[in-house]
Amino acid sequence: MESGTWRFLLSFIPILLYLFHILYSEYVSPKPTTSGCSLLPHHHYWIVSKRIVTPHEIISGAVEINGGSIISLVKEKDWREKVKNGPVIDYGEAVVMPGLIDVHAHLDDPGRAEWEGFPSGTKAAAAGGITTLIDMPLNSFPSTISKETLQLKIDAAKGRIFVNVGFWGGLVPENAYNTSILENLLNAGVLGLKSFMCPSGINDFPMTDASHIKEGLSVLAKYKRPLLVHAEKQQEIELKDGDDDPRSYSTYLKTRPSSWEEAAIRELLTVTKDTRIGGPAEGAHLHIVHLSDSSSSLELIKEAKSNGDSLTVETCPHYLAFSAEEIPDGDTRFKCAPPIRDAPNRQKLWEALMDGDIDMLSSDHSPSEPELKLFAEGDFLRAWGGISSLQFVLPVTWSYGLKYGVTLEKFVSWWSEKPAKLASQDLKGSIEIGKHADIVVWEPEKEFDLDENHTVHLKHPSISAYMGSRLTGKVVATFVNGNLVFEDGKHAPDACGTTILA
Ligand SMILES: *[C@@H]1O[C@H](CO)[C@@H](O)[C@H](O)[C@H]1NC(C)=O
Ligand SMILES: *[C@@H]1O[C@H](CO)[C@@H](O)[C@H](O)[C@H]1NC(C)=O
Ligand SMILES: [Zn+2]
């Protein structure tokens, strides 16, 4: 052959090497995921976007993921160079953000799985951009108040969760003064404890008072884990004539006035002092769940924080989205405790959230069977209380927050960073090198109707007060531990979320 022909053939060698390299990296090293944990056949890949929300700035570039963790962040001008031929998923203008961490959800499994259950609840969470949720110790049966009852939850979750799930344990009178029960429960892995200052509505979850809470805090101090408290305390109420129509929302509202929240918080603050530096429960932390009252209760919380109490507070999307004036007679989908209050109260909740006086958000997803929720022709006094929302909290927070100036940074703080801190999840809650690859990709400008044509993965879509609304902010994809668990309306076939034990 002539030398020109040789040169011609030799020129193919780099191309052949290149093809070999691609085949090798795709099919030989690392092994493609053969399980059904992910909709993506790669362990090592790059997510590319023009809007990646990192702790200090929103960047345009790539997030490199390998083995379930974020291993590098690359800014735009050099991402093509750095990424070379690696698998890239380019989401364009869609926002790439840490997945939501919902510190307050009731999945009711085991024991009342007909209300929700781990499979439907965590599929809905994945479809809504939630990558980790912490399950509440009540509404399942039995309540999670001992090492043995926690084990029932862990067993029920095995192979049935599409996102990561951790557990709160219950602080109840039965275990509050029994340190060995509490320590066994904490040693078995609950991330903290939860208690009620009013009847919980669940027989095997009785209420606690400040002395139980003081005991609980002293045990939690050693573990550096939080106590979450439902802060409403029953007070005398005076109903006038005409306040007795059970189909009227205002009747229900009058049965749980804001003074109940205020009284509970006032009592709580007599013991949160213990959490101050140098106090008898230093290391413990108290978190007030689902604050609805944005006046006196919030003032008390602000004051305690400024005095050095280790204290945080959450509110929920339904208090930010709805107001009492708008709730139709007989529409018991809106019943929850504490109740949704008036529009001026909602305005002040938003201001407190924007100012950082309310630290974070949670869903308080608390469904039941439609028969319990919608029964008795709209009787607000007898219907089950609890809002069903798990799949919708991202677009709801965004849609209703737009007029108050919500930003992506604030959103990440309320839904990822602060919740990660509360649940002691140091490797979650932000897009940073070394953190878990728990990521949501979504389109903040996209509107959609939550109607019959929107696929809802919750067990009972009809009980959700959000059905029928038009929302802004559509989830495109959700990654959990580096697995693409949801994209374009489709879930990965297998439930590969992990249980998080402390
Ligand atoms: C704590 O509970 C355990 C298990 O129920 C029981 O055996 C023990 O006697 C209790 N301890 C106290 C101090 O009540
Ligand atoms: C749902 O989709 C069907 C078929 O495209 C359409 O006929 C119907 O009007 C849609 N429903 C709503 C509420 O938009
Ligand atoms: Zn709850």
Side-chain angles (χ1 to χ4, degrees):
M1 270 189 282
E2 288 178 32
S3 65
T5 313
W6 273 114
R7 230 175 289 130
F8 176 73
L9 289 174
L10 284 171
S11 71
F12 280 97
I13 287 177
I15 295 172
L16 286 171
L17 281 173
Y18 172 63
L19 286 174
F20 177 77
H21 169 81
I22 289 187
L23 286 172
Y24 181 83
S25 57
E26 277 297 302
Y27 296 109
V28 183
S29 169
K31 295 260 184 295
T33 307
T34 48
S35 78
C37 293
S38 180
L39 294 166
L40 198 67
H42 312 288
H43 293 299
H44 185 195
Y45 57 92
W46 283 260
I47 293 174
V48 168
S49 157
K50 295 207 160 53
R51 288 188 279 181
I52 300 171
V53 187
T54 71
H56 306 295
E57 55 178 339
I58 296 176
I59 63 168
S60 174
V63 184
E64 182 179 9
I65 291 163
N66 195 1
S69 292
I70 296 167
I71 62 164
S72 81
L73 288 171
V74 189
K75 288 209 194 180
E76 174 145 63
K77 50 182 181 330
D78 44 0
W79 78 258
R80 278 177 204 284
E81 169 64 21
K82 290 256 174 62
V83 169
K84 298 215 173 64
N85 311 308
V88 164
I89 322 169
D90 191 343
Y91 287 111
E93 303 275 341
V95 165
V96 170
M97 196 172 88
L100 279 66
I101 299 176
D102 184 3
V103 294
H104 190 155
H106 300 261
L107 296 192
D108 316 326
D109 203 348
R112 289 194 187 86
E114 66 277 14
W115 289 13
E116 188 61 81
F118 284 123
S120 61
T122 57
K123 267 194 168 179
I130 295 168
T131 51
T132 296
L133 64 83
I134 320 296
D135 193 32
M136 278 292 166
L138 72 162
N139 296 13
S140 46
F141 184 82
S143 292
T144 312
I145 54 171
S146 64
K147 176 184 160 184
E148 294 75 21
T149 47
L150 173 64
Q151 191 58 45
L152 299 175
K153 282 250 181 198
I154 297 168
D155 294 345
K158 200 170 167 46
R160 297 171 74 230
I161 50 177
F162 289 82
V163 301
N164 299 321
V165 176
F167 308 96
W168 303 119
L171 178 75
V172 291
E174 185 189 327
N175 64 18
Y177 291 109
N178 191 318
T179 310
S180 72
I181 301 184
L182 280 187
E183 290 192 339
N184 286 341
L185 177 57
L186 289 159
N187 290 337
V190 294
L191 300 173
L193 301 174
K194 159 82 181 287
S195 82
F196 273 71
M197 296 182 80
C198 60
S200 71
I202 294 287
N203 291 337
D204 73 337
F205 205 98
M207 63 191 250
T208 46
D209 60 24
S211 59
H212 300 120
I213 288 169
K214 192 178 172 71
E215 288 295 318
L217 285 174
S218 71
V219 175
L220 285 161
K222 275 189 275 181
Y223 291 81
K224 298 205 173 357
R225 294 182 209 165
L227 176 64
L228 286 72
V229 179
H230 179 130
E232 274 186 301
K233 195 172 153 76
Q234 286 177 311
Q235 309 286 298
E236 285 288 321
I237 47 169
E238 269 181 51
L239 294 182
K240 299 191 197 79
D241 287 349
D243 284 345
D244 53 4
D245 177 5
R247 286 181 40 86
S248 161
Y249 182 75
S250 73
T251 301
Y252 173 61
L253 184 56
K254 284 172 191 153
T255 66
R256 291 187 98 108
S258 58
S259 57
W260 285 28
E261 288 187 76
E262 188 188 339
I265 290 167
R266 218 175 263 288
E267 185 174 323
L268 265 182
L269 298 188
T270 64
V271 290
T272 55
K273 281 196 197 74
D274 292 359
T275 64
R276 292 182 196 165
I277 292 170
E282 180 183 345
H285 177 81
L286 196 131
H287 177 73
I288 294 170
V289 298
H290 53 47
L291 183 80
S292 172
D293 171 32
S294 57
S295 47
S296 312
S297 302
L298 189 65
E299 290 310 314
L300 289 170
I301 293 168
K302 280 162 68 171
E303 194 188 322
K305 283 180 173 179
S306 71
N307 290 336
D309 295 13
S310 184
L311 182 67
T312 45
V313 58
E314 75 190 24
T315 190
C316 309
H318 38 278
Y319 302 115
L320 299 167
F322 306 131
S323 69
E325 298 89 329
E326 303 159 353
I327 298 176
D329 283 352
D331 196 345
T332 52
R333 296 178 305 163
F334 291 90
K335 179 178 177 180
C336 58
I340 293 159
R341 306 192 191 280
D342 63 17
N345 181 76
R346 173 180 61 185
Q347 167 84 23
K348 284 180 68 190
L349 278 178
W350 269 112
E351 287 162 10
L353 188 62
M354 293 299 288
D355 290 347
D357 294 327
I358 293 175
D359 302 275
M360 69 191 86
L361 297 174
S362 75
S363 73
D364 194 12
H365 174 67
S366 187
S368 70
E369 286 179 298
E371 297 70 47
L372 286 172
K373 185 75 183 152
L374 308 175
F375 86 141
E377 296 177 342
D379 184 333
F380 273 105
L381 302 181
R382 287 164 63 217
W384 181 259
I387 301 286
S388 166
S389 61
L390 198 59
Q391 192 176 330
F392 318 126
V393 294
L394 185 157
V396 166
T397 311
W398 189 251
S399 306
Y400 289 90
L402 286 171
K403 81 170 189 193
Y404 297 95
V406 63
T407 60
L408 292 171
E409 291 90 337
K410 289 226 186 277
F411 200 97
V412 167
S413 165
W414 303 332
W415 273 116
S416 303
E417 286 167 7
K418 299 267 182 63
K421 196 154 180 258
L422 180 71
S424 317
Q425 298 303 302
D426 299 344
L427 295 178
K428 295 191 182 293
S430 61
I431 295 193
E432 278 180 282
I433 294 171
K435 298 279 174 121
H436 294 167
D438 291 346
I439 291 171
V440 56
V441 184
W442 63 293
E443 296 171 317
E445 290 81 21
K446 187 102 158 215
E447 295 188 21
F448 65 97
D449 289 308
L450 200 46
D451 61 18
E452 63 202 16
N453 292 334
H454 189 87
T455 307
V456 179
H457 300 279
L458 297 165
K459 189 160 276 177
H460 303 296
S462 69
I463 63 166
S464 177
Y466 295 106
M467 292 310 291
S469 32
R470 184 167 181 82
L471 298 174
T472 305
K474 197 162 195 299
V475 173
V476 174
T478 306
F479 295 82
V480 174
N481 310 327
N483 292 320
L484 178 57
V485 299
F486 175 84
E487 188 169 49
D488 289 336
K490 213 173 131 219
H491 288 85
D494 296 342
C496 303
T498 54
T499 50
I500 301 172
L501 298 174

